[in-house]
Amino acid sequence: MDIKGERYRKLSRRAMILGGAQALGLLTLVGRMVHLQIVNADQYKLLAEENRVDLRLISPLRGRILDRHGKELASNQLNYRVSVIPEQAGDFEATLAQLSGVIPLPPHKLEAVLRQAARSRRFLPVTVSDNLTWEEFARLNSIAPELPGVQPDAGRSRFYPYPPEFAHLAGYVGQITEDDLAKLPDDPLYMLPEFRIGKRGLEHYHDKTLRGVPGLRRVEVNALGREVRELTRDDGVPGQDLVTSIDADLQRFTMQRLADQSAAVVVMNVHSGEVITLASAPGFDPNDFNFGIRTDVWKALLKDERKPLMNKTVQGQYPPGSTFKPIVAMAALEAGLIGPQDTVFCGGGMRFGSRTFHCWKRGGHGSMNMISAQEQSCDVYFYELARRMDVDTIADMARRFGLGHGHGIEIDHEKDGLVPTRAWKKTRKRDRKWHDGETLSVSIGQGYMLATPLQLAVMTARIANGGYAVTPTLVKANAKPGRAADNFPPVGVTPEVLKVAQDGMIAVMEGGRGTAGRARIRDWPRGLAGKTGTSQVRAITAAMRAGGVPKNENRPWQERDHALFIAWGPVDDPAYAIAIIVEHGGGGSAVAAPIARDIMREAFIRDPCGLTGGRPMVAEAELHERFLDGHDHHDHDEHGHG
Amino acid sequence: MADARAARNRYRLLMSKVMDLHGSMMIVLLCIAGIGFAMLYSVSSGDFGKLAGRQMVVFAIGFTCMVAIALVHLRWWWKLSYTIYGVGLVMLIAVEIIGDIGGGAQRWLDLGFVRLQPSEIMKIGLVMALARYYHGLTLDEVKNLKTLIMPALLIGLPSVLVLRQPDLGTMLLIAAGGTTLLFVAGVPRKVFLVGAVIAAAGAVGGFYQLHDYQRDRVFTFLDPDSDPLGTGYHIQQSKIALGSGGVGGKGFMQGTQSHLDFLPEKQTDFIFTALAEEFGFVGGLTLVILYTVLIGYGFLIALSARNHFARLMAVGVTTTFFLYVFINIAMVMGLIPVVGVPLPLVSFGGSAMMTLLIGMGLLMNVYVHRNVVLSRQGTVPLARQGTVL
């Protein structure tokens, strides 16, 4: 009708404009596509890949800690646990309520679980309880199918098969703390909730090698972070097993022998330096720390006056008392101040300056030479040496035998002890001048002198092995096989000088009047050479002495003397050395020496380093005869079998 | 006898119409829908029945309706145009009232056997009503501003109702579609200039009337990286999906962004992104070209028609189609704020599919009836009555 009309022309024109505009619009879209998909494609490809791929860690199995024979001191145990996936559970709290009917879920734990659940994504499992018993786990498995989202599973967790015996040695692991993070170099493992870090002992010192290298899984994830499939997998490297030089059975024997004493024992190979026992009593259960220790257990450990958390073998510093006397004797002899046979008269005390220094024996020992003074542990003899000697001369000898400095043993918290010198005293804040009277205290291992049981063991080993500077090790692979002479430098004493220390210690056991004669090994003649020590915890004042020094048994536990004993043997071919301290145990000869004897006998027989031959030298029949002879009667009565 | 002849004639006429259906346009339609099926199959990770199968059923029904609509004589559509608009308006009001009573907005009307979305009817109804209105006016009358009152009401009423639902996307489609129809009908340019100023002012004022989520979308559009995990997340992820598709795409069913759920609403509003991720620039461009061809056909059909109602209706339907395409694709590429507009014939969903196929039906109707002459009063000259079905 009006196909050529004005209305149509107008429409055509406007339709052209509209069509053009639409074409332009579509062209804009194409331009944008070019911009996104061609110009900037690489950038977006990268972003898409970042979206898609997530890196997930696989925690490596922690290396075990083994004794020298391969016995496990720390292992990885199946850990039965239960997790709940909130997304699948629906009503999370109701599920927890149902679970609490089967497994113990105290309110504080419940709260912690709810808190954790609130923090994490709803499709990720929340660990509700771990370290379940098998019974609990079995019950759980029977109801789990009825509870959606409940997952009983078994992971790996640290396990210490001998809880108290190796608590200090193996140490323990625990959850990583903010403090740990601040101190340690970054390791992606820290992000894993099940990761445990070595907190104490070998676990701590060797954490790096035990830990291993985490595996890595590249997984494809969706927008919620849920895993869709695995792209690549690298299983990582499990932690290395740590083979220690320890003989587990000997250490267990030692701990049992110590009973509930507060004590420390170090037994080492005098040639290789291998420490075969490093025992600190009382112990505790390191398994308690794995999942966070209970507050009451922790508080009890902290409050215990016997300090169960302390590794007394390397961390405890004690005045060595009379066990230090062989060193003082050697120092005096080397300095040419006195001959081995020269005598000093002991009348029970010695006047020095304004003070009287008393011998432990009130009546005095009479005439003493270098050997008998050690045998009977005469204090006055050593006061006399000290009077003639400078403290630095003693210190020099002490340091050569391993006192006053750390040995770099492969465990944490090793202390240096203290060997006082004039120079050392100058560094103090107050009372910086050395008083000669203080040298007298040092000569009997008191005063400022401090040594760790490990240092005493090293000292004993160096005396025993012919004067070679053996250093202790806890790692079997670090030990140097063969004789000490082949591997360690001499400490630099002449055989004559060393001989007085050795002979003095032999006399202590074999001399007839020795302080530890009763602690000889009955079925192993010339088994031990030793030296007793009794170190005062409290200075005995003149007033106390006047009123009569109370016997140890009558003093409060904390004020009783420490009982010490060092020994090496067998005398004719030294193999092992021991140092023992029984805190507030009383006297070295009465308390420490018998324990040491039993441990050393066990060491000789077990002979982990293959040095003694491992068989008692005296046959049972002959032993019986000797027993009937009455020679060792007391020993038998007091301590039973050795 | 006479009845039989009439029937035969009618059959012959029908067959001639069927033979005259726009074949290449239908092929383009099928191609677009086919791409849609493939993408729905992909985003449902190969679960045919979940999306693609259902979409095929809807498409089959819609396609049948389209053909039926194309074959009905144009005059009937002229007659029904106000009625359809009126029904749409009443239903929009009904939805509004039910929403008020029921508490909370809703967009659809449940008639028991079927759920109708009145705004979809309105998209068609408005185009038809405006086309009929301007069909009845001379160019001089069009230039008279008084004649603008009626169209303003026709556009304004449903726009306000739809915006209250609230459905910004549909409102834009309706308002923009209606306005372009006025433009093509010959309304003076100065009206559009003034209208643009008023619209700008209205937009600024209206911005403060928007719902929070709508306002967030505008902010997010202006700076999509500011809040990557919040409202900007969708756009950011969509751009990553598109960009990472590159030239050739990641391969069918290999789109990481869509299959790992980084892409939101991938089966509806963001299906273009899924396509461009898996088939890259090549895939996206192919679809845009197909749409362009379809839109081009629409304009050609409009210009070939011999009556004004048909021309306006064809331009209106085509423009509505274009707006769907443009708003959706521009939105997923971050060119305009996020508005809920599906991609025509590709996005999953029955309502939009039906609306668009009905629109295509009307377009084809115009093509089939391109030679029909319609008086201003809607009467067909006697000489041509034989062609009335």
Side-chain angles (χ1 to χ4, degrees):
Chain A
M1 195 148 80
D2 58 349
I3 194 141
K4 298 284 175 223
E6 199 191 346
R7 206 164 62 154
Y8 177 70
R9 281 201 302 276
K10 184 102 189 169
L11 179 135
S12 300
R13 262 201 318 277
R14 291 247 166 130
M16 296 294 251
I17 295 170
L18 186 63
Q22 294 186 7
L24 211 64
L26 293 168
L27 213 60
T28 311
L29 297 183
V30 173
R32 179 68 169 177
M33 276 163 64
V34 170
H35 176 75
L36 288 174
Q37 298 194 281
I38 296 172
V39 179
N40 290 328
D42 290 341
Q43 175 201 337
Y44 286 115
K45 276 176 184 161
L46 204 68
L47 287 170
E49 201 65 6
E50 274 175 27
N51 268 345
R52 175 178 83 100
V53 176
D54 205 358
L55 299 180
R56 307 231 158 136
L57 291 170
I58 308 169
S59 70
L61 206 56
R62 195 173 171 85
R64 296 172 303 164
I65 297 175
L66 306 172
D67 93 332
R68 59 185 306 118
H69 309 296
K71 195 169 266 189
E72 286 177 341
L73 307 183
S75 60
N76 301 299
Q77 193 197 32
L78 272 178
N79 167 26
Y80 297 114
R81 61 190 175 195
V82 58
S83 343
V84 176
I85 300 175
E87 188 186 72
Q88 293 176 12
D91 189 344
F92 186 53
E93 291 190 35
T95 305
L96 288 183
Q98 276 173 291
L99 282 180
S100 64
V102 187
I103 54 171
L105 265 182
H108 70 270
K109 205 164 178 183
L110 208 65
E111 226 169 82
V113 169
L114 286 172
R115 234 179 298 127
Q116 203 205 328
R119 273 201 307 266
S120 62
R121 307 263 187 106
R122 286 184 54 77
F123 58 82
L124 290 177
V126 176
T127 303
V128 173
S129 189
D130 45 18
N131 218 12
L132 298 169
T133 64
W134 203 87
E135 287 76 21
E136 286 164 347
F137 191 66
R139 260 181 290 160
L140 200 67
N141 271 304
S142 68
I143 66 154
E146 298 155 30
L147 297 174
V150 172
Q151 295 186 319
D153 70 348
R156 292 268 172 185
S157 67
R158 206 58 163 168
F159 176 64
Y160 304 96
Y162 311 107
E165 288 103 325
F166 298 94
H168 305 94
L169 180 74
Y172 53 84
V173 294
Q175 271 155 337
I176 196 157
T177 62
E178 288 299 318
D179 283 357
D180 295 329
L181 288 175
K183 272 185 279 182
L184 294 164
D186 265 354
D187 188 325
L189 270 175
Y190 301 159
M191 289 184 291
L192 291 170
E194 70 269 29
F195 175 73
R196 293 290 185 276
I197 193 166
K199 295 277 189 185
R200 283 292 304 266
L202 296 173
E203 293 274 29
H204 176 73
Y205 192 91
H206 301 272
D207 193 57
K208 277 253 178 56
T209 50
L210 290 169
R211 195 189 281 175
V213 180
L216 198 61
R217 297 189 315 134
R218 276 176 71 245
V219 295
E220 189 171 85
V221 294
N222 69 8
L224 298 168
R226 191 199 302 271
E227 188 178 322
V228 177
R229 69 193 164 108
E230 194 169 272
L231 299 171
T232 60
R233 183 190 182 99
D234 162 19
D235 279 322
V237 184
Q240 288 172 35
D241 286 348
L242 177 69
V243 182
T244 64
S245 56
I246 296 293
D247 184 285
D249 290 333
L250 184 64
Q251 174 135 349
R252 293 181 69 199
F253 174 86
T254 301
M255 288 298 278
Q256 276 160 30
R257 184 65 184 82
L258 290 173
D260 58 352
Q261 297 273 27
S262 175
V265 173
V266 178
V267 183
M268 62 186 278
N269 179 328
V270 300
H271 291 292
S272 67
E274 287 166 281
V275 174
I276 55 174
T277 284
L278 192 83
S280 180
F284 57 90
D285 188 348
N287 292 307
D288 288 345
F289 290 84
N290 210 348
F291 301 100
I293 191 162
R294 273 169 43 206
T295 321
D296 53 335
V297 176
W298 174 248
K299 278 188 177 149
L301 285 173
L302 282 181
K303 265 170 64 185
D304 192 330
E305 58 190 358
R306 297 177 303 163
K307 299 194 185 66
L309 288 172
M310 184 182 186
N311 184 359
K312 299 181 181 96
T313 57
V314 294
Q315 212 179 345
Q317 303 182 98
Y318 309 91
S322 302
T323 59
F324 188 53
K325 284 172 181 167
I327 299 294
V328 180
M330 284 192 288
L333 186 63
E334 188 177 66
L337 302 173
I338 191 165
Q341 301 305 323
D342 296 344
T343 57
V344 168
F345 183 78
C346 168
M350 177 177 174
R351 189 108 191 125
F352 187 84
S354 58
R355 257 188 78 184
T356 302
F357 285 79
H358 292 271
C359 188
W360 66 269
K361 194 169 180 183
R362 294 204 79 171
H365 289 94
S367 210
M368 290 278 115
N369 69 15
M370 200 167 264
I371 303 303
S372 58
Q374 290 180 71
E375 178 186 354
Q376 298 179 43
S377 205
C378 172
D379 291 338
V380 170
Y381 178 87
F382 287 95
Y383 295 148
E384 174 58 25
L385 297 190
R387 208 179 53 77
R388 301 180 194 181
M389 232 186 327
D390 190 84
V391 67
D392 288 357
T393 310
I394 301 176
D396 176 53
M397 186 60 73
R399 298 187 72 84
R400 277 143 76 184
F401 278 85
L403 302 183
H405 56 86
H407 292 287
I409 192 163
E410 306 91 337
I411 198 165
D412 57 329
H413 291 95
E414 185 191 6
K415 289 283 196 299
D416 287 341
L418 179 62
V419 175
T421 58
R422 286 175 188 274
W424 164 77
K425 203 159 184 210
K426 283 213 179 73
T427 64
R428 301 207 331 160
K429 285 229 169 64
R430 273 179 293 164
D431 187 23
R432 297 166 56 157
K433 189 184 173 304
W434 186 265
H435 306 288
D436 289 337
E438 289 167 348
T439 311
L440 270 62
S441 293
V442 167
S443 73
I444 60 161
Q446 296 278 160
Y448 297 116
M449 268 304 295
L450 288 174
T452 64
L454 178 71
Q455 286 173 329
L456 292 177
V458 170
M459 179 186 91
T460 312
R462 289 180 181 183
I463 293 170
N465 69 17
Y468 294 95
V470 63
T471 52
T473 180
L474 278 168
V475 179
K476 201 179 177 188
N478 291 351
K480 302 196 171 69
R483 311 291 292 182
D486 303 333
N487 296 308
F488 296 100
V491 297
V493 288
T494 60
E496 295 74 37
V497 170
L498 187 68
K499 196 168 184 303
V500 297
Q502 290 180 338
D503 287 351
M505 291 178 78
I506 293 167
V508 167
M509 310 300 294
E510 307 282 343
R513 308 186 70 171
T515 51
R518 291 193 311 173
R520 273 178 294 158
I521 303 176
R522 277 185 293 123
D523 54 357
W524 207 304
R526 288 176 66 77
L528 289 183
K531 182 71 196 79
T532 55
T534 303
S535 77
Q536 287 166 18
V537 173
R538 260 182 93 189
I540 297 166
T541 61
M544 279 171 67
R545 205 173 288 278
V549 181
K551 288 201 160 190
N552 262 313
E553 305 86 87
N554 300 333
R555 281 185 255 158
W557 184 77
Q558 300 96 314
E559 292 178 13
R560 292 181 201 166
D561 298 334
H562 293 322
L564 291 95
F565 190 65
I566 59 170
W568 49 271
V571 169
D572 297 319
D573 186 11
Y576 303 107
I578 186 171
I580 172 172
I581 172 161
V582 181
E583 282 190 339
H584 311 294
S589 56
V591 178
I595 300 175
R597 172 204 56 207
D598 294 346
I599 295 167
M600 283 299 264
R601 180 182 179 274
E602 189 73 13
F604 291 170
I605 293 169
R606 293 193 55 79
D607 193 26
C609 302
L611 298 169
T612 62
R615 291 170 68 94
M617 302 284 230
V618 182
E620 195 67 28
E622 196 184 335
L623 191 69
H624 189 65
E625 237 163 79
R626 283 161 63 107
F627 169 68
L628 288 179
D629 205 20
H631 198 268
D632 280 312
H633 208 154
H634 288 294
D635 253 340
H636 187 81
D637 279 347
E638 278 179 30
H639 304 293
H641 125 88
Chain B
M1 267 310 268
D3 279 357
R5 231 171 67 197
R8 217 170 25 247
N9 274 344
R10 231 179 269 153
Y11 175 75
R12 220 180 285 140
L13 187 62
L14 181 65
M15 283 320 291
S16 72
K17 278 187 181 181
V18 171
M19 296 311 288
D20 202 22
L21 283 172
H22 203 308
S24 45
M25 192 174 127
M26 293 211 284
I27 289 168
V28 173
L29 266 177
L30 284 167
C31 286
I32 294 173
I35 288 174
F37 302 147
M39 286 321 297
L40 289 175
Y41 181 76
S42 171
V43 297
S44 56
S45 302
D47 185 349
F48 178 78
K50 194 178 165 195
L51 298 171
R54 286 164 62 191
Q55 182 84 337
M56 282 181 179
V57 172
V58 174
F59 182 77
I61 297 168
F63 199 83
T64 313
C65 289
M66 178 185 82
V67 172
I69 287 165
L71 297 179
V72 173
H73 195 280
L74 183 70
R75 201 179 55 144
W76 286 104
W77 296 122
W78 181 89
K79 273 187 177 165
L80 281 171
S81 47
Y82 283 149
T83 314
I84 292 171
Y85 178 89
V87 169
L89 194 65
V90 167
M91 284 169 73
L92 272 178
I93 292 167
V95 164
E96 171 81 14
I97 290 166
I98 290 168
D100 278 349
I101 295 167
Q106 62 180 48
R107 294 174 182 180
W108 38 262
L109 210 57
D110 201 340
L111 297 182
F113 62 97
V114 67
R115 280 206 306 209
L116 278 179
Q117 216 165 329
S119 58
E120 294 295 332
I121 296 173
M122 189 46 83
K123 281 173 198 158
I124 303 290
L126 179 64
V127 167
M128 294 176 80
L130 285 172
R132 173 165 171 176
Y133 179 75
Y134 279 105
H135 177 82
L137 296 182
T138 64
L139 193 55
D140 289 335
E141 283 168 333
V142 170
K143 284 174 181 166
N144 185 344
L145 289 183
K146 277 184 201 160
T147 61
L148 266 178
I149 295 169
M150 186 62 182
L153 284 174
L154 285 176
I155 298 170
L157 278 175
S159 296
V160 170
L161 287 168
V162 170
L163 190 59
R164 279 177 59 86
Q165 284 184 352
D167 189 348
L168 188 63
T170 307
M171 182 280 226
L172 282 173
L173 279 175
I174 289 173
T179 310
T180 45
L181 212 62
L182 302 195
F183 177 75
V184 178
V187 173
R189 284 170 196 227
K190 60 179 187 247
V191 172
F192 295 100
L193 287 176
V194 174
V197 172
I198 293 169
V204 173
F207 178 73
Y208 294 97
Q209 302 295 314
L210 291 178
H211 283 250
D212 279 347
Y213 80 91
Q214 291 171 326
R215 211 181 301 174
D216 279 347
R217 283 174 172 180
V218 176
F219 280 129
T220 301
F221 165 69
L222 294 175
D223 185 9
D225 301 332
S226 65
D227 183 20
L229 285 176
T231 42
Y233 181 76
H234 291 175
I235 283 303
Q236 190 58 27
Q237 293 302 334
S238 176
K239 280 161 75 177
I240 291 172
L242 277 156
S244 62
V247 176
K250 296 176 185 169
F252 186 52
M253 299 191 63
Q254 302 295 313
T256 58
Q257 289 283 105
S258 45
H259 284 281
L260 299 172
D261 296 331
F262 289 99
L263 204 58
E265 304 181 37
K266 56 195 176 189
Q267 75 273 34
T268 55
D269 291 359
F270 284 85
I271 196 155
F272 182 80
T273 311
L275 169 78
E277 188 189 17
E278 297 192 350
F279 294 101
F281 178 72
V282 174
L285 187 66
T286 304
L287 187 61
V288 171
I289 288 172
L290 286 171
Y291 281 132
T292 308
V293 169
L294 205 56
I295 290 162
Y297 279 143
F299 276 98
L300 291 178
I301 289 168
L303 293 178
S304 71
R306 295 191 63 181
N307 73 77
H308 207 61
F309 170 72
R311 291 176 199 140
L312 286 171
M313 189 166 73
V315 171
V317 167
T318 306
T319 300
T320 303
F321 191 85
F322 163 80
L323 286 170
Y324 267 101
V325 172
F326 181 80
I327 291 176
N328 178 273
I329 298 180
M331 183 265 288
V332 302
M333 293 199 293
L335 281 172
I336 59 167
V338 175
V339 278
V341 173
L343 188 62
L345 308 176
V346 176
S347 286
F348 181 76
S351 293
M353 177 73 98
M354 288 305 292
T355 308
L356 284 154
L357 284 173
I358 288 168
M360 288 296 114
L362 291 173
L363 196 58
M364 258 182 230
N365 184 291
V366 172
Y367 178 73
V368 172
H369 300 92
R370 58 191 176 277
N371 292 319
V372 170
V373 176
L374 216 55
S375 75
R376 284 211 183 111
Q377 290 71 37
T379 51
V380 179
L382 268 176
R384 296 176 182 273
Q385 280 200 349
T387 59
V388 179
L389 186 68

